[in-house]
Each structure stands twice: as C-alpha cells, then as structure tokens.
Amino acid sequence: MAVSERSTKEGLLSVLDDVEVLSRELIEMLAISRNQKLPQPGEESQILELLVQRDGEFQELMKVAQEQGKVHQEMQLLEKEVEKRDSDIQQLQKQLKEAEHILATAVYQAKEKLKSIEKARKGSISSEEIIKYAHRISASNAVCAPLTWVPGDPRRPYPTDLEMRGGLLGQMSNLPTSGVNGHLPGDALAAGRLPDVLTPQYLWQSSDMSMNMLPPNHSNHFMLEPPGHNKENEDDVEAMSTDSSSSSSDSD
Amino acid sequence: MDKDSQDVHQELNKLKTKIQEAREQISTMPGISMSPEQQQQQLQNVREQVHTKNKLLQKYRSLCMIDIPKP
C-alpha cells in the first residue's frame, strides 16, 4: 500500500538512485576484473540484469509521468475556470447584497409612510371645518392688512384694549375705559378726523351693529381726547402707525 | 593501469553528472508530485467543482427574486 501511495517523482528518483549505484558497481567490477579474477563470476551478470530491470521500470515511470503532465495541464485549465466562477459568484453576491439593502430601505420607508397615513387618519379633520376657520381668521384682517389700510388707520389685526373692554367680559367686570378704541389718547380716530371707511370693523362687531354694541360710555363719534395732547400724540401715532407690525395699544 | 583507472574515474564522474541532471529534470516535471490515482481523484474533484458552480450560477441568473403576492 505504501508503494502505491508513493508519488511518481519519488519512484523515478528511487529508480535513478538504483541505476546509479548498479552502474557504478558494474563499472568498478569490470575495471577490477580486467586485472584480477572475480571471486563470484556470476555477479556481473546479476548486476547487469538488475540494471536492465531498473531501466525498464524507469521507462515505465517516465511514460506515467508524461501522462500525469497532460492531466496536470487539464487540471490547471479547470482550476482557472473555477476561479472565474468564483469571481462571478462573488459579483452576484455583491449585487444581491445591494438589492437587499435597497429593498430593506424601501420597505422601511413604506412602513413609515403607512404609519403616517394611519396617524393622519386617526386625527383627521374635515376640510369644511378647516375652511371655516380659515375664513374666520382671514375675515378679521388678522393675517393681512385690508386693502384700504393706510398709516394712521387705527384698525389693528388684534382686538384692541377698548374693544376688549367693550365686549361682554368688559361689561361684566364694569371696567373703566381708557383711551378710545384701545389706542393711546390723541389718536387720529379719537380726534374724529378719519373718514368712515377707516372706522374699525371687526368680526365680532358687524358694520351695522358696531355702534349698538359699544358700551354706553363710548361716544359714537369717538370724540374723547385728553386735553392738551392732541397734536403731539397724533404725530406719535402717525409715526407708530407707519410700522404695521408694531403694537400701538397699551394695556392699562 | 593507471590510465585505465583514470578513464574509469572520468567515466564514472560523467555518469554521476548525467544522473544528477536527470534528477534535477525530474524535480521540475509538473504533475508528478502525487501518484496517478491521487491525481485522478483530484481531477475528478475539480471537475465536480466546476459543474456545481456552473449550476449555481445558472440557477441564480435565471431565478426570479421578486415574487408578487397574489391578492
């Protein structure tokens, strides 16, 4: 069993060693036999026979080695093909990983979107209600000044002090009014010099009811003004009114 | 006699050199580091590897990865 497992190379080298030894012995023996008689006359022929045998083995092994060389070439080609397949498989693996990543991202985003849809569905508000609120907010000129607004116009996008006091809460608490329309004394409107188109019209006071809804201590003509401050304060209001974003009402 | 022994030594050295060259050439020969049976076994293994990998690649390339679920 050990002999059959021996590689061809080992066999060849072993036979070569034998050939070397046998040929050396033969030559030495022949050299000696020329001068003197050999103690064993048949020894030469024995060595010769062994030499011939070893030569035959060597030739056989060389044929086997040639065949193995061809098989080795075929195996090298197959191994190259295996390498190419390996690289193809690796390439496919990379692509599959990429696809998996893309799909995972898409699935995650889709789940997030579904969650948002569900959340929106739970807290849904009717569009009519939203439009109603939008109308209410925009009708009071709270988001944009009216087209006829000019600097000096006492109208503001918020309820002024006077209007708050003139409302139901103010009436309930019977708070004294200070100033006119929530503006500082000497206001242009308080001076009664603005035209009717600039009189304040707010959502909670319709144009028809604005006069009726005012508390009894309010004059319809808004003639109240503190003495001696008219012109100066008008200038102040004019200056302040030019900046539409500033608040000119003072809470007393 | 001396000349003969010199000739013998010379020829022996030549033989030794030739056998050494033969050894070196045998060492460089490809594919003989194993027995023929072992080599055949290895060849068979490599052929099977190629066959398996070809089948795998064919399967992955023709495989439909996305299955649309039926409603």
Side-chain angles (χ1 to χ4, degrees), chain A residues 13-33 43-55 58, chain B residues 7-20 22-23:
Chain A
L13 290 172
S14 160
V15 168
L16 208 58
D17 290 339
D18 291 345
V19 164
E20 187 186 10
V21 164
L22 286 169
S23 54
R24 190 199 292 269
E25 266 191 41
L26 188 65
I27 290 168
E28 281 172 357
M29 207 174 281
L30 286 170
I32 292 167
S33 68
E43 208 175 340
E44 285 173 4
S45 54
Q46 267 184 0
I47 291 173
L48 209 56
E49 272 176 26
L50 282 169
L51 201 59
V52 168
Q53 194 184 351
R54 287 289 181 269
D55 183 60
F58 189 80
Chain B
D7 288 340
V8 164
H9 276 296
Q10 214 172 359
E11 292 306 315
L12 275 173
N13 284 337
K14 280 183 189 174
L15 181 67
K16 197 176 170 185
T17 310
K18 278 216 181 308
I19 287 173
Q20 187 57 35
R23 278 201 193 99

Side-chain angles (χ1 to χ4, degrees), chain B residues 9-61:
Chain B
H9 276 296
Q10 214 172 359
E11 292 306 315
L12 275 173
N13 284 337
K14 280 183 189 174
L15 181 67
K16 197 176 170 185
T17 310
K18 278 216 181 308
I19 287 173
Q20 187 57 35
E21 279 172 13
R23 278 201 193 99
E24 280 162 15
Q25 281 194 359
I26 286 167
S27 302
T28 57
M29 279 172 75
I32 58 169
S33 56
M34 58 190 97
S35 67
E37 293 82 18
Q38 287 171 344
Q39 197 185 36
Q40 285 298 321
Q41 185 64 41
Q42 199 173 355
L43 181 69
Q44 189 61 30
N45 291 342
V46 172
R47 276 183 183 151
E48 272 173 27
Q49 261 189 47
V50 170
H51 180 67
T52 306
K53 285 179 182 179
N54 279 339
K55 269 179 79 175
L56 200 65
L57 276 169
Q58 204 177 6
K59 179 187 165 189
Y60 285 151
R61 278 175 185 153

